[in-house]
C-alpha cells in the first residue's frame, strides 16, 4: 500500500493508514455510487472527507501503475495547493492512499478536510428569483476571477461548488478537483464551463451576462454561447438520466 500524507497531518498516520478498512463499516455516507465518499472523524476530532475511487479496468490499472497517466487521487491531492495559492478555496488535502493487487493499482483514496459550507448549487433548482439572482452574480464573479487566474474546473457541476453566505457575502469552495485546467481561458471555453449548472434559465443567463461584465466580454455573445452549450448538454443528458425537477430547455 502506498500512502502520501500532508506533513501537517503526519500525527494522524496510523488512523489514515487504516481508512481503507474503516470506510466500508464506519463513517457517515455522503455519496455512494461509482465512487464512495464518507465523512469520518479522526482521533483528534478533525472531520475528514474520504473518497474511494472505483476500481479501474485492467488496462487503466496498468496505465496508472506505470504512471503513463496520473491517477485521479494523485491529482486531487496535488491541486488544492495550486488553488489556494491563487486565493481560491478548496478543502485542504490530507492524504492519498493507493492499494495494489498483483502489482497493479486497485482502489485509491483521496482524503481531505471536510468542508463546512452547507449549500450546493443543487438547491437553485427550486429557488425563487430573489434567492438565485444575487447568487448567480456572485458565482459569475467567482468563476470569472478563476478563469482570469488561468484556472478552470472541468467538472463544474452543482455538486462540486459549495457555498455559504457569511457576513452578507457569498463564499465558495470547490470540491472533486481531480479534473482541472491550468491555462489561459478564452471566452468560448469559459462560457461553456457553465453548461452543466442546474436551475432556471434566468439563473444561467444572469451568470453569463455578469461573467461577461467581469471579464470585459460582450454580454450578448456570452449569453448565446452559454445557453447553446447548456441546451446541448441537457438535451443529451436527459435522454439517459432523470432529474428531480423540470429543466427549462
Amino acid at each position: 500500500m502506498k500512502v502520501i500524507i500532508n506533513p501537517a497531518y503526519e500525527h494522524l498516520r496510523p488512523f489514515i493508514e487504516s481508512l481503507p478498512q474503516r470506510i466500508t463499516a464506519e463513517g457517515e455516507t455522503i455519496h455512494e455510487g461509482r465512487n464512495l465518499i464518507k465523512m469520518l472523524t479522526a482521533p483528534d476530532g478533525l472531520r475528514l472527507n474520504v473518497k474511494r475511487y472505483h476500481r479501474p479496468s485492467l488496462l487503466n490499472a496498468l496505465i496508472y501503475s506505470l504512471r503513463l497517466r496520473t491517477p485521479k487521487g494523485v491529482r486531487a491531492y496535488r491541486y488544492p495547493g495550486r488553488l489556494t495559492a491563487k486565493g481560491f478555496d478548496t478543502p485542504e488535502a490530507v492524504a492519498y492512499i493507493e492499494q495494489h493487487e498483483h502489482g497493479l493499482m486497485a482502489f485509491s483514496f483521496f482524503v481531505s478536510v471536510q468542508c463546512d459550507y452547507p449549500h450546493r448549487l443543487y438547491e437553485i433548482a427550486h429557488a425563487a428569483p430573489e434567492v438565485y439572482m444575487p447568487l448567480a452574480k456572485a458565482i459569475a464573479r467567482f468563476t470569472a476571477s478563476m478563469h482570469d487566474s488561468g484556472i478552470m474546473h472541468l467538472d463544474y457541476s452543482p455538486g462540486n461548488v459549495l457555498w455559504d453566505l457569511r457576513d452578507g457575502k457569498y463564499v465558495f469552495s470547490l470540491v472533486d478537483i481531480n479534473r482541472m485546467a491550468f491555462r489561459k481561458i478564452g471566452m468560448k471555453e469559459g462560457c461553456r464551463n457553465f453548461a452543466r449548472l442546474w436551475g432556471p434559465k434566468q439563473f444561467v443567463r444572469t451568470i453569463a451576462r455578469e461573467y461577461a461584465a467581469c471579464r470585459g466580454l460582450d454580454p450578448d455573445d456570452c449569453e448565446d454561447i452559454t445557453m447553446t452549450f447548456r441546451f446541448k448538454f441537457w438535451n443529451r443528458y436527459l435522454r439517459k438520466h432523470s432529474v428531480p425537477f423540470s429543466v427549462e430547455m
Side-chain angles (χ1 to χ4, degrees):
M1 185 170 72
K2 177 180 180 179
V3 181
I4 302 173
I5 297 179
N6 181 332
Y9 299 98
E10 183 62 37
H11 64 286
L12 295 176
R13 176 173 288 275
F15 180 77
I16 290 170
E17 291 179 341
S18 71
L19 288 174
Q21 291 72 47
R22 291 178 181 272
I23 195 173
T24 57
E26 300 178 22
E28 175 187 338
T29 300
I30 297 174
H31 173 79
E32 187 170 10
R34 184 175 173 85
N35 303 314
L36 174 63
I37 305 175
K38 282 193 171 184
M39 194 278 289
L40 290 91
T41 303
D44 64 352
L46 182 67
R47 296 194 309 158
L48 298 177
N49 183 290
V50 184
K51 180 173 185 177
R52 184 184 70 187
Y53 294 95
H54 69 280
R55 182 189 291 268
S57 66
L58 181 60
L59 176 60
N60 281 336
L62 180 61
I63 290 172
Y64 289 140
S65 299
L66 295 175
R67 290 305 192 255
L68 300 177
R69 185 189 306 153
T70 304
K72 294 179 181 179
V74 172
R75 283 179 270 142
Y77 179 79
R78 291 175 178 172
Y79 288 166
R82 298 187 68 171
L83 267 65
T84 56
K86 293 281 190 176
F88 301 103
D89 188 76
T90 188
E92 185 176 16
V94 173
Y96 170 70
I97 304 170
E98 196 173 288
Q99 292 180 312
H100 294 82
E101 293 178 4
H102 310 296
L104 297 177
M105 191 179 90
F107 288 110
S108 59
F109 304 77
F110 170 58
V111 185
S112 66
V113 175
Q114 177 68 30
C115 181
D116 64 352
Y117 286 18
H119 303 289
R120 297 191 179 199
L121 291 180
Y122 288 121
E123 301 168 29
I124 300 306
H126 302 290
E130 58 267 25
V131 174
Y132 70 68
M133 289 296 278
L135 179 59
K137 292 183 178 181
I139 190 68
R141 292 191 291 269
F142 172 75
T143 310
S145 180
M146 269 204 308
H147 290 179
D148 281 341
S149 297
I151 299 172
M152 186 167 70
H153 196 315
L154 297 178
D155 190 6
Y156 211 46
S157 59
N160 292 338
V161 183
L162 280 59
W163 64 274
D164 199 8
L165 185 60
R166 299 184 175 181
D167 299 322
K169 180 182 178 181
Y170 287 96
V171 290
F172 300 94
S173 185
L174 300 175
V175 298
D176 201 7
I177 62 169
N178 66 82
R179 294 179 61 232
M180 303 290 294
F182 300 95
R183 58 174 180 260
K184 184 176 180 179
I185 310 300
M187 179 176 71
K188 184 176 180 180
E189 188 177 28
C191 292
R192 185 176 187 172
N193 209 202
F194 299 119
R196 299 183 64 182
L197 297 185
W198 296 28
K201 268 187 171 182
Q202 190 56 43
F203 173 69
V204 183
R205 291 184 189 280
T206 301
I207 289 176
R209 299 189 75 83
E210 183 69 16
Y211 175 82
C214 292
R215 299 198 71 194
L217 304 172
D218 184 278
D220 292 331
D221 287 346
C222 276
E223 181 178 337
D224 288 345
I225 293 170
T226 298
M227 300 311 289
T228 296
F229 279 114
R230 177 185 182 274
F231 178 84
K232 288 180 178 179
F233 172 79
W234 285 105
N235 188 49
R236 181 176 63 250
Y237 186 88
L238 292 174
R239 293 175 186 172
K240 299 179 180 180
H241 305 85
S242 62
V243 294
F245 64 93
S246 177
V247 177
E248 294 180 72
M249 298 297 289

